[in-house]
Structure formats: C-alpha cells, structure tokens
Amino acid sequence: MQDGQNLFDATTSYSGEWGVDETLDLVDHACIVVGIDNGGSLRLTEYNPNYHAQNGAGEGMAYLQFIVKTLKPFIDSTYRTLRSAQSTFIAGSSMGGLISFYAGLYHPQVFGGLGIFSPAFWIAPTITRQVLGIVKPKTHGKQRYYFYGGGKENPRLINDILQVKEILSRLSHAEINTSINDEGEHNEMYWGKEFLPFYHWISKQE
C-alpha cells in the first residue's frame, strides 16, 4: 500500500490514518500489509509515471520497478507469502491510487488485485489512451479491480473513474467493483472506512 505513513498510526501521519491494523483485527483471513512511505515533497513525482508541466518528469515507472524487482522479492524471501498474482494486491489513495492503477496496468503478472481509492486520474490526461493501448483479456482478464470515489471530492473524480472502468471492463473482462459514497470526502477517514469492504471483496475465496 502507498503512503505508508498514513496507514497504521496517527502520530506518523501527515493527514490522519486509515486504521488498517485495527481493521484487519476484524477479519478471519490474515495477510501481510506492506506500507511504503512516500517521499514527502517528491510524492507527486514518484507516484506519477508521466511528465507533468508543473512537476516535471514522472518517476512512477522507476518506483514500480523498485516494488516489482526489489521490494516484493525481499518480502517473499523474508516472510511466508503466497507469491502468485492472485494473492498479491496493491492499493492506494489519490496519487497513491493513480500509481496503484498503473501497477496493475503495467505489471498484471505481479498484481492480481487492486484497490484504487479516489485516484488522481485528472493529473494523467493520457491515461485512457494508455489503457486502450495496453489492456487485453489475455494479460489483464484475471485481475480484480476495486474502485472507490467520494461525491464531495474533485468534481471530475467520479466521471474519470467511470470512464477508465468502462474501457478497462470492455477490453479486459476483468472483475470490477465500483463503490461510490455520495458524502465521501478526499481524506483518510473515508478511505479507512472503505478499507474493510474493499478487503472483504478483494480477498474473497472463489
């Protein structure tokens, strides 16, 4: 999960915590959650694979390579994990939701489940073109996507989610769940509330 500072402890957070640890105390099926701290002032760049007029060249692809080539192998070699894509999920919110989506887009062989919370798709105007050029049933059809958005966030957010979802669904036939909270705001309190239904859905046994 992205923005690791905000997942477990309010004292390390810069904008509130999700309460992921307390939420997982409520579930029967255990997991390992790897919270990756963001780079502070570098966050907008490290979570964006694309060039941005204000922030410059994106470093998102290098960040994803770090996760796939360095971090995940370390976790798999250190802990008793289920290593398949079907047992490997990635999630994040806002810019963290954006880079989590790109993780599934470019590395479907690694990430079988994705939690895309309030994704900052508005900062990536080429994202629909990228989806159109990459997604195929053979490579992305076994993935599972959980999209969440709040009605009181960026006015574009819900439409952006639905547009990306429509293209993704049409091209991949992946299993997709969309949760919209009309009262939802762009903050950790609402994302934390949505984490439990996301976790139940993404980790359900077939």
Side-chain angles (χ1 to χ4, degrees):
M1 293 186 69
Q2 322 310 322
D3 295 314
Q5 298 100 317
N6 296 350
L7 300 179
F8 309 112
D9 189 344
T11 61
T12 65
S13 169
Y14 54 87
S15 56
E17 67 157 306
W18 287 50
V20 167
D21 46 344
E22 290 89 351
T23 299
L24 290 177
D25 286 340
L26 305 175
V27 304
D28 295 327
H29 40 292
C31 73
I32 296 170
V33 176
V34 180
I36 311 170
D37 286 2
N38 66 58
S41 62
L42 302 176
R43 180 176 180 268
L44 293 178
T45 301
E46 72 178 345
Y47 285 174
N48 188 0
N50 309 297
Y51 175 83
H52 188 266
Q54 290 180 316
N55 301 318
E59 298 177 339
M61 297 303 285
Y63 174 70
L64 293 179
Q65 284 295 308
F66 159 73
I67 296 176
V68 170
K69 299 294 186 181
T70 302
L71 180 59
K72 186 178 186 300
F74 170 77
I75 298 299
D76 287 335
S77 65
T78 305
Y79 301 98
R80 191 173 61 178
T81 62
L82 300 174
R83 303 182 183 189
S84 70
Q86 285 68 38
S87 297
T88 305
F89 314 140
I90 191 165
S93 59
S94 192
M95 287 297 295
L98 176 71
I99 195 62
S100 296
F101 179 79
Y102 275 113
L105 185 64
Y106 286 102
H107 299 282
Q109 77 284 1
V110 177
F111 303 108
L114 298 100
I116 316 299
F117 293 76
S118 306
F121 287 156
W122 60 84
I123 206 170
T126 63
I127 193 166
T128 54
R129 187 165 71 245
Q130 291 168 317
V131 174
L132 285 166
I134 294 173
V135 170
K136 296 178 176 62
K138 183 177 180 180
T139 52
H140 296 77
K142 294 183 179 180
Q143 288 181 307
R144 308 179 70 236
Y145 287 79
Y146 190 102
F147 289 97
Y148 165 80
K152 294 185 177 180
E153 301 188 59
N154 187 310
R156 289 184 49 182
L157 185 135
I158 303 300
N159 286 336
D160 286 348
I161 287 176
L162 296 178
Q163 183 180 24
V164 170
K165 173 195 170 183
E166 188 279 325
I167 299 171
L168 180 66
S169 178
R170 174 163 47 86
L171 295 181
S172 72
H173 311 300
E175 188 175 358
I176 302 175
N177 183 83
T178 304
S179 176
I180 305 297
N181 179 356
D182 291 338
E183 300 301 314
E185 300 176 10
H186 199 78
N187 59 49
E188 277 69 21
M189 183 184 75
Y190 283 96
W191 299 325
K193 287 181 178 179
E194 192 67 22
F195 182 80
L196 184 60
F198 154 71
Y199 187 75
H200 280 314
W201 186 85
I202 204 72
S203 60
K204 69 180 180 181
Q205 300 299 310
E206 301 297 340

